[in-house]
Amino acid sequence: MSELHIIDHPLVQHKISLLRDKNTGTKEFRELVSEIAMFICYEATRDLPLKEIELETPIAVAKTKIISGRKLAFVAILRAGLGMIDGVTALVPAAKIGHIGLFRDPETNEPVQYYSKMPDDINERHVIIVDPMLATGNSAAAAISEVKKLGVKNIKFMCIVCSPEGVEAVQKAHPDVEIYAGVMDQGLNDDKYIVPGVGDAGDRIFGTK
Ligand code: URA
């Protein structure tokens, strides 16, 4: 079973509380999503492989470490995942970015993919999929399947708020994918929003409501 990592750092928890507040406006909400994404990404990249190199400091020759091996790509689930991209690319500026768009079929409730644009060499990269809210887990599981179809072997999923239902769905469909989250909430309401959650993350990031 894939691991669930809750990033319970005080700064993350504090910023999530600010996100939850219905009086937090669009500008602040967007900044908070980006900052929290950066903190969670710091943990999600903790196991990147390192290699030793030698270079000259102004004082002496140093044996020192740099990130080695496969490179990284972030994949944003549209549209709320876009809000996390600035934060994660602040930490890994060389990462490439993919986008995937999914909507829920009102008849079947199944996710339907309407857009996918990935880096050409995605199959040579480690991939971190980002979406602030892991609610039912349907979009997350579908996005992971799409990335796997392209040949990616190492995939992580990063969100800010998750529900127990969403985590269970992703773990069941993709037991190899580790999940990184800021907090796990109580569950979903009848409209499939996370309770207490933050509301509609896309609307709050883009100011559409
Ligand atoms: N998507 C959101 O934006 N919020 C939720 O609570 C669930 C899904």
Side-chain angles (χ1 to χ4, degrees), residues 53-162:
I53 58 160
E54 239 180 48
L55 49 71
E56 285 180 43
T57 76
I59 309 296
V61 171
K63 284 189 199 306
T64 189
K65 289 173 183 159
I66 59 168
I67 290 168
S68 78
R70 287 181 186 233
K71 300 200 176 76
L72 208 54
F74 295 106
V75 172
I77 299 183
L78 301 177
R79 79 190 147 132
L82 290 176
M84 298 171 78
I85 290 296
D86 275 358
V88 295
T89 53
L91 284 192
V92 192
K96 290 194 177 173
I97 314 293
H99 296 89
I100 182 163
L102 301 152
F103 67 86
R104 187 166 10 132
D105 184 311
E107 310 264 290
T108 63
N109 272 340
E110 291 299 313
V112 180
Q113 186 177 306
Y114 65 88
Y115 185 77
S116 175
K117 185 79 182 166
M118 301 291 169
D120 285 346
D121 60 352
I122 193 160
N123 61 328
E124 294 164 16
R125 290 175 179 264
H126 288 193
V127 169
I128 301 180
I129 300 175
V130 299
D131 191 348
M133 310 301 281
L134 176 57
T136 63
N138 291 341
S139 301
I144 295 166
S145 295
E146 169 69 8
V147 169
K148 281 186 177 173
K149 238 192 318 183
L150 300 172
V152 180
K153 296 281 181 305
N154 186 305
I155 304 171
K156 291 177 177 172
F157 183 85
M158 240 182 76
C159 60
I160 294 177
V161 185
C162 64

